Amino acid sequence: MSVATPAVRENGARSLRLGLVLFFTALSYAIFYWAASRFYYGNATGLLADLGSYIGNIAAALVDFRKGVLGWIGGILVALANFAPFFALVYIIGVGLRILNWLLLEHPRPASPNPLTDRHFRNIFFELLMFTALAVFVWWIVGNTVTNLQERKIASGFDFLSATAGFGINQVLFIDYTESSSYGTAFLVGLINTLVLSFIGIVLATILGFIVGIMRLSKNWVIAKLAAGYVEIFRNIPLLLQIFAWYNVALKPLPHPRQSIVLFDSIYLNNRGIYSPKPIFEDGWGFVVAAFFSGIIASIAIARWAKKRQMETGQPFPVFLTSLGLILGLPLIVFFLTGMPVHFDYPHLRGFNFQGGMRVIPEFTAMLMALTIYTATFIAEIVRAGILAVPHGQTEAALALGLTRGQMLRLVIIPQALRVIIPPLTSQYLNLTKNSSLAVAIAYPDLVAVGGIILNQSGQAVEIIALWMLVYLSISLATSAFMNWYNAKMKLVER
Amino acid sequence: MSIEAQEKKGMSVSDEVVVEMIDVNKWYGDFHVLRDINLTVYRGERIVICGPSGSGKSTLIRCINRLEEHQAGKIIVLGTELTEDIKKIEEIRREVGMVFQHFNLFPHLTVLENCTLAPIWVKRMPKKEAEEIAMHFLEKVRIPDQAHKYPGQLSGGQQQRVAIARSLCMNPQVMLFDEPTSALDPEMIKEVLDVMVDLAESGMTMLVVTHEMGFARQVANRVIFMDQGQIVEQNEPEEFFTNPKSDRTKLFLSQILH
Amino acid sequence: MTDTVKEHKRSFYRTEMLPPKPPPPASTGVLGWMRENLFSSWWHTILTFVGLYIIWLIVSFLVQFAIIDAVWSGQDRTACLADGGREIGACWAFIRVWHNKYMFGFYPEDQQWRVLVVYAIGAVLLAFLLIPRAPGKRLVMLLLFVIYPVLAYILLYGMSSLGLPVIETTRWGGLMLTLVIAAVGIVISLPLGILFALGRRSQMPVIRFISIIFIEFWRGVPLITVLFMSSVMLPLFLPEGVTLDKVIRPLVGVALFASAYMAEVVRGGLQAIPKGQYEGAQALGLTYWQMMLLIILPQALKMVIPGIVNTFIGLFKDTSLVSIIGLFDLLGIAQASLADAKWATPVTAPTVYLYLALVYWVFCFGMSRYSIFMENYLHTGHKR
């Protein structure tokens, strides 16, 4: 009777585990293959045949650069929707990596002789099961979608983006767009409108939010309560309702263009929008712009120099006032020297509407008001919490050292409060950007509204929604990448 | 001059008044926290203030650099009366250093930056000079090697020594200590007290709120016992500890010295 | 030396303690409070008056519009039109006419008691769940998350065999639909969110990866695109011939969307549980699920109740988005009512929006107060 040494037992357990893992892998692949054939092909060999042609297609797409990058991305997305073997590939790679990981990292650990009670083995089995279930589910959905699309005779792919749009958009910025432009251009117009609205909204909401947040901390009871009331009211009313209210109550009932409300003799408010003089720049304007930018550059240089000088000699320098003078004064001087190279195109009434000038459509104004006022309530709370998060001892210590209140805020309180404020603030910016998609409710032509029109006209639901998701996810991912970077950089060093 | 005082060599007391409190009263809401406080501090004095919690001892020294406002009476620091005048308050705070129970170091700045912040911004000192002074005092408190670390990386005792160095960098005429060792583990208390003893020996005027009676015996020239917002008893340490006059003082000492 | 000269001044003791005196009159009471909080300097005095003036403007406008100038009854638009030179404020008459629709949509009036019964049961169960000291939390959880949804479905949708006529979901609407969507959202998203939160903290790479993708995907896209997706793409995902109810579709989207947010809230709670709790549970020999269900989750969930309530407030506000894809929730039916030509007046829209704002506000504000209450309650609970 031979007694097995621990090492021998361990070896036996290892090969048993490996065998079981391989067995279950094979089994899960069989399930996957069966489901794929059943749901997608209806026959047993379709998967392998498609896999071959798919690899061929990817190779062809990689070689074919004539379509440009957009076309190439489109090709990949088409492949995603059209060629089910893509998932087979992902599946095989995913499971393969997991097995490899197990073999390389987890295998050498001392294990239970019985694989069924081995923790790592159980984990791997469970993971295979989950992955297979998920893959089968996705496969099933993709299969259904393809079948349904074929049934409805909708061609998938992004070719429709080059088709003529045929609809007008009432706010086109930075690029040229007419009714005869393509769907792709229209989509781009929508994207620009989303970004413009979000950007201006973020700037205004930040300003308002910081003011209100600081007001809430005021020693003055009335001011603090006023700010608290503002926050509590507007935070607890759905944004969509606020958008409707601004649009239908504040902007729609404005008078017709003929009875416009006139401000400063040159700005006209009516139910078609806000019309203001449009500056037309002449030849010398470039110098003014150049003066402005050199003012900024000079200010930065002066700020650096002043800091260096203070560090060396202790003498402070009025950086803020000098910069203000440089940034505003320099362009102003150049402006007059070049003979005021700008004139204004005033809006004027022609027929029933205004011609010329600059027009801000009421949809934009309504969105901007609602987004700013709604988001500012959240920003105010973040700012308040951030400032309160700095312990009172910090204030006391700074004051006890003889710093002035301004220095205390600038050197001690704000740097610490910002660490607390910036991460949630960024996610509010993200929320504002996502919330700008509510524009569709009042037909401000943002990404979603324009996409919706294209969706209705072309019926390319999958592609439009994929594009939406792609845009918003990229914005989100870029933001969270920034946030991770910021948090890592700003983390207070602790033991 | 008592033998006690002679032993504390080099710690001379002049008759120049640095802090004077006349009939100072303060209330928190309806709670009468300081009652008719009269106290004169001369240059070079080392005063230890003790008393049960809630007796107003912290409030008393926090009134001296106006972290708390008094509502009646007069406080005159270095010849300047404390009023609402912000400029005067800032002037006084420049001359009066303070060390807190919870250190209150600035966590976003390194030890060195903590020490140079006020000299650079308040005293308009060149950075290099401020750093030299900071290193000098960090050496005095025996942690020059930690200068480029952040407060969060230091132990409590080290943090408190940095806080002392930070105050000293402003070259103050008076130092206030608000229970500087209460938040520390026992083994760290000594390292902070050692630094404070050195400081006392260098002739600094100090007001120390503490329960460290050993420290009081060693360096104080006057011990003040407070209860219910008033000064109950004050005396030279020898007399104070061996022959307390008031019953409250006796009770307090019996509890704290067991 | 100078030291001895001052000796007599420095030794001192008190034979009698000073009694406390009342503070100077200007620093306490109403006057003291006002001096401290309203008029501490000339700058604050100006601010106080500007603030009071702004408050006065808003309040007087609202009172004027909503009460003094308001029209309380009438049969059609003529009641709310300014003809006799009188300023016309809120047209409450319009709200009265439409009120039943705002509350129940097109649910038949003789069957509306069913909705009220569902409300009542829900309110009682919720009260038991939400009051921290009420007993039987586990039983109530089971009732609320398993039995109640089934019961509510039977009552609301109907079951002919029980004598309850079937009311198609197309007839559901108003506040009732808003509450149904919010309730379904929370009932599905809480367990799903817990699963994904556990998944995200799992040691199994595949599970963790799937959870992260799920959570970040839903959190990265706006709800409105999710709703479009669920109403346009969901039918494509299903096999031919299978159709989904028009109300169910957005529900799927809302539930998945809310799950991702809930997962992040729960994850926050899981992270806040000290490592010692895990170690303690493992040391007792508990399995993973025993540890989670008996030790970790009860503590973690309790800790994040405020976060859960806040997510729910967000969800409640977000239900208004279903009006964009053509459902008649409270906001949807109100928007539809504005097209009522019989009542077209300049004050109709402001009145309706004021009313809606009030309804939504009462719900959201109430919940946020509860969340703050729980936060304080838990905070003090932990201190002890």
Side-chain angles (χ1 to χ4, degrees):
Chain A
M1 203 168 116
S2 69
V3 180
T5 62
V8 170
R9 238 186 297 147
E10 179 66 15
N11 267 336
R14 257 184 216 170
S15 35
L16 181 58
R17 273 200 319 273
L18 185 62
L20 275 169
V21 164
L22 291 178
F23 171 72
F24 280 120
T25 310
L27 189 68
S28 77
Y29 186 73
I31 296 171
F32 177 72
Y33 188 86
W34 172 80
S37 317
R38 165 79 182 70
F39 292 133
Y40 196 80
Y41 294 99
N43 67 60
T45 52
L47 180 60
L48 288 176
D50 261 8
L51 203 58
S53 72
Y54 174 64
I55 293 166
N57 276 326
I58 287 212
L62 282 172
V63 173
D64 185 11
F65 274 109
R66 275 168 305 171
K67 283 182 182 171
V69 182
L70 207 73
W72 194 76
I73 294 171
I76 294 290
L77 287 172
V78 170
L80 207 123
N82 273 355
F83 299 104
F86 182 80
F87 291 103
L89 218 61
V90 169
Y91 181 80
I92 292 162
I93 292 169
V95 171
L97 279 178
R98 187 65 192 96
I99 300 291
L100 200 68
N101 192 27
W102 179 72
L103 284 177
L104 293 178
L105 297 174
E106 291 167 11
H107 190 208
R109 292 182 192 172
S112 153
N114 177 2
L116 293 175
T117 60
D118 184 287
R119 198 154 59 92
H120 291 106
F121 180 77
R122 277 193 188 192
N123 283 355
I124 242 191
F125 175 65
F126 187 61
E127 280 180 278
L128 280 179
L129 202 73
M130 288 297 294
F131 198 86
T132 307
L134 189 77
V136 167
F137 179 68
V138 172
W139 194 281
W140 179 67
I141 281 180
V142 172
N144 285 335
T145 310
V146 171
T147 320
N148 282 325
L149 287 177
Q150 280 164 353
E151 193 80 1
R152 292 174 203 188
K153 306 253 184 308
I154 300 173
S156 53
F158 286 82
D159 296 339
F160 74 97
L161 283 178
S162 52
T164 308
F167 57 88
I169 298 179
N170 58 359
Q171 178 181 306
V172 180
L173 299 169
F174 306 128
I175 58 172
D176 290 323
Y177 175 84
T178 58
E179 285 190 19
S180 54
S181 299
S182 66
Y183 280 136
T185 317
F187 206 84
L188 204 59
V189 171
L191 177 60
I192 290 172
N193 285 342
T194 290
L195 293 178
V196 167
L197 174 63
S198 307
F199 178 75
I200 300 178
I202 283 171
V203 171
L204 294 183
T206 308
I207 296 171
L208 186 61
F210 269 77
I211 292 174
V212 175
I214 290 165
M215 274 167 68
R216 278 205 78 172
L217 293 170
S218 167
K219 242 171 60 182
N220 188 308
W221 187 82
V222 173
I223 295 299
K225 287 294 156 193
L226 196 65
Y230 160 76
V231 170
E232 287 299 348
I233 289 172
F234 286 97
R235 189 170 64 155
N236 287 319
I237 298 175
L239 175 61
L240 187 58
L241 177 57
Q242 296 190 38
I243 292 173
F244 278 138
W246 279 108
Y247 188 60
N248 289 335
V249 174
L251 298 169
K252 272 289 192 60
L254 283 173
H256 291 286
R258 283 179 171 281
Q259 287 99 37
S260 293
I261 300 166
V262 187
L263 301 174
F264 311 117
D265 259 351
S266 54
I267 297 170
Y268 300 88
L269 290 176
N270 58 53
N271 62 4
R272 296 292 192 82
I274 301 167
Y275 292 81
S276 68
K278 180 183 187 179
I280 307 283
F281 304 114
E282 290 155 17
D283 284 344
W285 183 254
F287 292 109
V288 181
V289 176
F292 176 70
F293 281 108
S294 30
I296 292 178
I297 293 167
S299 301
I300 294 171
I302 285 178
R304 286 200 171 171
W305 168 81
K307 184 164 185 200
K308 194 163 165 249
R309 194 183 75 142
Q310 192 187 349
M311 290 303 153
E312 278 166 9
T313 67
Q315 291 309 306
F317 187 82
V319 176
F320 182 73
L321 288 177
T322 323
S323 306
L324 207 68
L326 277 174
I327 293 173
L328 293 180
L330 207 59
L332 214 63
I333 295 168
V334 176
F335 179 69
F336 285 112
L337 281 181
T338 49
M340 298 190 272
V342 67
H343 72 269
F344 288 95
D345 174 24
Y346 288 91
H348 54 277
L349 204 57
R350 180 178 292 167
F352 290 106
N353 211 342
F354 277 93
Q355 298 285 314
M358 252 188 333
R359 176 184 176 214
V360 179
I361 57 175
E363 289 83 5
F364 180 84
T365 318
M367 283 307 297
L368 191 62
M369 296 295 278
L371 281 175
T372 303
I373 289 176
Y374 183 74
T375 314
T377 62
F378 293 93
I379 293 180
E381 287 299 276
I382 289 167
V383 169
R384 184 174 84 114
I387 294 175
L388 286 180
V390 182
H392 191 58
Q394 296 289 311
T395 312
E396 290 187 340
L399 290 179
L401 283 170
L403 296 181
T404 64
R405 285 197 80 81
Q407 287 172 336
M408 170 195 83
L409 284 174
R410 193 155 47 94
L411 301 171
V412 177
I413 306 299
I414 291 176
Q416 293 186 55
L418 276 187
R419 283 159 208 264
V420 184
I421 289 174
I422 297 238
L425 187 66
T426 329
S427 85
Q428 281 307 320
Y429 289 170
L430 203 56
N431 278 350
L432 188 144
T433 310
K434 285 189 282 174
N435 281 336
S436 72
S437 62
L438 295 188
V440 70
I442 56 168
Y444 168 76
D446 81 323
L447 189 63
V448 174
V450 172
I453 301 173
I454 301 174
L455 195 157
N456 280 337
Q457 284 192 5
S458 66
Q460 305 281 359
V462 180
E463 290 80 2
I464 294 288
I465 289 173
L467 276 177
W468 280 342
M469 303 285 180
L470 195 72
V471 169
Y472 284 110
L473 280 178
S474 340
I475 297 175
S476 295
L477 286 180
T479 313
S480 47
F482 164 78
M483 237 149 64
N484 289 342
W485 170 81
Y486 180 84
N487 284 341
K489 186 166 174 273
M490 286 298 161
K491 202 172 162 213
L492 285 182
V493 186
E494 306 261 346
R495 283 167 174 285
Chain B
M1 189 193 207
S2 64
I3 301 164
E4 177 82 19
Q6 273 178 341
E7 277 172 3
K8 296 165 190 164
K9 49 186 182 291
M11 297 190 230
S12 65
V13 176
S14 78
D15 55 358
E16 183 195 349
V17 175
V18 285
V19 178
E20 188 162 24
M21 301 177 98
I22 304 164
D23 288 332
V24 172
N25 277 282
K26 179 174 173 59
W27 289 263
Y28 287 133
D30 283 334
F31 180 61
H32 199 173
V33 58
L34 291 182
R35 306 178 191 171
D36 289 347
I37 300 290
N38 282 290
L39 177 67
T40 309
V41 182
Y42 298 91
R43 185 172 297 282
E45 277 204 288
R46 289 86 46 198
I47 298 178
V48 164
I49 304 173
C50 58
S53 63
S55 59
K57 45 194 194 312
S58 287
T59 313
L60 175 79
I61 66 164
R62 286 157 62 89
C63 278
I64 295 174
N65 65 352
R66 209 168 173 83
L67 288 179
E68 305 278 357
E69 290 172 28
H70 59 287
Q71 283 139 315
K74 264 188 175 183
I75 301 178
I76 300 161
V77 183
L78 300 162
T80 313
E81 189 184 344
L82 282 172
T83 58
E84 293 282 349
D85 189 337
I86 292 173
K87 284 286 153 215
K88 283 195 178 151
I89 294 171
E90 280 164 8
E91 261 168 45
I92 287 169
R93 283 174 177 162
R94 259 173 249 166
E95 303 298 332
V96 179
M98 183 157 195
V99 174
F100 299 87
Q101 180 179 1
H102 295 289
F103 333 133
N104 293 351
L105 291 177
F106 306 130
H108 62 300
L109 302 177
T110 62
V111 164
L112 189 62
E113 285 165 344
N114 263 283
C115 292
T116 57
L117 182 82
I120 289 176
W121 291 96
V122 178
K123 289 204 157 171
R124 309 251 181 255
M125 202 181 272
K127 189 178 178 187
K128 217 167 169 197
E129 198 185 326
E131 283 181 347
E132 277 164 17
I133 292 174
M135 285 314 292
H136 169 75
F137 283 111
L138 286 174
E139 266 160 41
K140 284 243 160 148
V141 300
R142 297 156 206 168
I143 35 174
D145 48 326
Q146 312 281 0
H148 295 286
K149 287 194 178 167
Y150 284 89
Q153 295 168 291
L154 306 184
S155 73
Q158 289 172 324
Q159 289 194 44
Q160 194 60 297
R161 284 186 280 151
V162 172
I164 294 173
R166 178 175 74 175
S167 290
L168 292 177
C169 285
M170 287 294 285
N171 195 18
Q173 305 190 35
V174 184
M175 284 286 284
L176 309 174
F177 291 84
D178 186 0
E179 307 207 23
T181 54
S182 326
L184 296 177
D185 291 337
E187 75 268 23
M188 294 170 184
I189 292 177
K190 188 175 176 298
E191 62 188 55
V192 171
L193 288 181
D194 286 349
V195 167
M196 288 168 64
V197 171
D198 289 353
L199 191 60
E201 281 169 356
S202 74
M204 175 67 75
T205 313
M206 295 163 73
L207 275 91
V208 185
V209 172
T210 187
H211 290 150
E212 295 296 330
M213 292 304 142
F215 174 78
R217 276 176 204 267
Q218 195 184 344
V219 302
N221 69 320
R222 187 157 34 139
V223 181
I224 293 178
F225 172 67
M226 283 186 74
D227 193 11
Q228 295 185 359
Q230 48 208 300
I231 297 178
V232 175
E233 179 159 359
Q234 56 170 310
N235 213 333
E236 283 194 351
E238 187 64 21
E239 273 295 291
F240 182 85
F241 289 115
T242 52
N243 187 16
K245 307 271 192 324
S246 151
D247 292 341
R248 284 170 186 274
T249 317
K250 285 176 195 159
L251 181 68
F252 177 73
L253 286 177
S254 73
Q255 281 166 347
I256 205 163
L257 297 174
H258 8 260
Chain C
M1 258 184 100
T2 49
D3 217 340
T4 33
V5 179
K6 297 289 183 308
E7 196 85 342
H8 65 283
K9 277 191 189 170
R10 291 190 194 157
S11 110
F12 161 91
Y13 73 96
R14 204 180 272 288
T15 44
E16 247 170 66
M17 297 295 280
L18 293 168
K21 281 183 286 188
S27 68
T28 53
V30 178
L31 274 180
W33 181 87
M34 280 170 66
R35 237 177 67 124
E36 177 85 354
N37 295 300
L38 300 179
F39 309 111
S40 53
S41 65
W42 59 270
W43 165 242
H44 275 290
T45 310
I46 295 175
L47 278 182
T48 302
F49 283 112
V50 171
L52 285 176
Y53 181 64
I54 293 172
I55 292 173
W56 164 248
L57 280 184
I58 296 167
V59 171
S60 64
F61 171 77
L62 277 181
V63 169
Q64 189 80 19
F65 179 80
I67 298 169
I68 297 175
D69 289 342
V71 176
W72 298 90
S73 58
Q75 289 311 307
D76 55 24
R77 63 195 294 260
T78 50
C80 295
L81 278 179
D83 49 356
R86 182 171 99 88
E87 275 287 318
I88 291 292
C91 185
W92 297 122
F94 176 75
I95 302 288
R96 278 171 66 163
V97 170
W98 273 84
H99 193 259
N100 194 269
K101 294 264 185 302
Y102 281 6
M103 291 297 112
F104 302 101
F106 303 101
Y107 211 88
E109 291 205 21
D110 58 336
Q111 298 293 324
Q112 284 171 6
W113 60 269
R114 284 155 56 174
V115 181
L116 296 177
V117 169
V118 171
Y119 284 176
I121 301 174
V124 171
L125 287 177
L126 262 186
F128 268 97
L129 191 67
L130 295 185
I131 298 171
R133 294 188 193 285
K137 285 269 163 8
R138 256 160 221 255
L139 180 69
V140 175
M141 285 272 262
L142 182 75
L143 284 174
L144 198 63
F145 281 89
V146 182
I147 315 281
Y148 179 66
V150 177
L151 189 74
Y153 176 78
I154 293 172
L155 269 169
L156 292 178
Y157 187 74
M159 194 180 257
S160 335
S161 54
L162 292 174
L164 295 170
V166 168
I167 317 277
E168 290 297 333
T169 54
T170 46
R171 309 190 67 175
W172 298 14
L175 183 63
M176 170 214 161
L177 184 60
T178 295
L179 289 175
V180 165
I181 295 173
V184 172
I186 192 88
V187 167
I188 296 181
S189 71
L190 194 56
L192 216 56
I194 293 173
L195 279 183
F196 279 106
L198 291 177
R200 193 166 182 168
R201 283 174 61 79
S202 161
Q203 293 184 347
M204 296 182 249
V206 172
I207 306 288
R208 196 168 59 232
F209 184 71
I210 293 172
S211 303
I212 290 176
I213 295 278
F214 177 90
I215 293 172
E216 294 305 326
F217 176 80
W218 294 111
R219 276 161 46 89
V221 297
L223 179 58
I224 188 68
T225 58
V226 174
L227 289 175
F228 273 124
M229 187 166 128
S230 57
S231 68
V232 177
M233 273 170 76
L234 208 55
L236 290 178
F237 287 163
L238 297 171
E240 292 174 81
V242 181
T243 49
L244 258 188
D245 189 287
K246 206 176 154 223
V247 173
I248 307 279
R249 285 187 222 166
L251 274 182
V252 174
V254 166
L256 291 178
F257 187 76
S259 305
Y261 283 85
M262 206 59 93
E264 284 302 273
V265 171
V266 175
R267 186 165 75 110
L270 290 175
Q271 272 169 344
I273 301 288
K275 223 178 142 203
Q277 292 293 315
Y278 291 90
E279 288 167 356
Q282 281 163 352
L284 285 175
L286 300 182
T287 67
Y288 176 82
W289 287 107
Q290 282 173 333
M291 172 177 81
M292 281 301 167
L293 289 175
L294 297 175
I295 312 290
I296 306 300
L297 277 176
Q299 296 184 60
L301 287 181
K302 197 176 155 199
M303 215 178 267
V304 294
I305 288 177
I308 293 175
V309 176
N310 286 339
T311 309
F312 186 66
I313 296 175
L315 178 65
F316 185 79
K317 286 188 289 182
D318 280 346
T319 56
S320 58
L321 265 62
V322 298
S323 64
I324 296 179
I325 54 163
L327 254 55
F328 292 108
D329 73 318
L330 182 55
L331 183 59
I333 203 147
Q335 279 291 101
S337 75
L338 288 179
D340 185 353
K342 210 176 126 192
W343 281 95
T345 73
V347 291
T348 314
T351 309
V352 168
Y353 291 133
L354 185 65
Y355 176 73
L356 289 192
L358 206 66
V359 173
Y360 278 110
W361 187 83
V362 165
F363 275 94
C364 296
F365 185 72
M367 288 189 277
S368 77
R369 286 290 114 175
Y370 174 75
S371 145
I372 291 170
F373 158 76
M374 268 324 277
E375 212 164 316
N376 294 335
Y377 178 83
L378 292 174
H379 200 65
T380 49
H382 272 279
K383 262 189 199 157
R384 245 178 268 139

